Amino acid sequence: MTQDKQTGYRPVVFRDRSAGYAFLTRSTASSDQTIEWDDGETYPLVEVEISAESHPFYTGRARVVDSEGQVAKFERRFGDGA
């Protein structure tokens, strides 16, 4: 990839507001906020509402829909269809 096609592609820190988890990656996202990272360098900080650290699917806190109960409820309501 040539450098002139992706303007502003640089290291950026993303921080999850709800979990407090932060990670350093490369991005074209811009921000007025900065943060000093573990390596002593200062990087732009982009705050996000949700990440893999706080998303219910990845943390195991996701709601499981009882599909068997839904089928039984449908059959009780509308019959077997036979």
Side-chain angles (χ1 to χ4, degrees), residues 1-44:
M1 175 167 52
T2 59
Q3 292 292 358
D4 59 340
K5 289 187 179 182
Q6 290 291 333
T7 58
Y9 187 68
R10 64 191 182 288
V12 176
V13 175
F14 286 89
R15 181 169 57 193
D16 185 341
R17 290 182 184 178
S18 60
Y21 176 72
F23 58 93
L24 177 66
T25 187
R26 295 183 59 85
S27 176
T28 58
S30 61
S31 175
D32 295 334
Q33 298 177 335
T34 59
I35 188 171
E36 186 172 331
W37 194 244
D38 298 335
D39 60 1
E41 296 290 324
T42 302
Y43 298 106

Side-chain angles (χ1 to χ4, degrees), residues 41-57:
E41 296 290 324
T42 302
Y43 298 106
L45 173 66
V46 177
E47 295 202 18
V48 294
E49 296 294 325
I50 197 161
S51 71
E53 288 294 313
S54 62
H55 194 280
F57 179 78

Side-chain angles (χ1 to χ4, degrees), residues 41-81:
E41 296 290 324
T42 302
Y43 298 106
L45 173 66
V46 177
E47 295 202 18
V48 294
E49 296 294 325
I50 197 161
S51 71
E53 288 294 313
S54 62
H55 194 280
F57 179 78
Y58 295 111
T59 59
R61 293 180 287 166
R63 257 184 26 180
V64 177
V65 176
D66 182 20
S67 60
E68 184 178 340
Q70 294 295 323
V71 171
K73 180 179 173 183
F74 179 83
E75 288 178 350
R76 276 195 313 273
R77 190 171 189 183
F78 299 106
D80 290 339

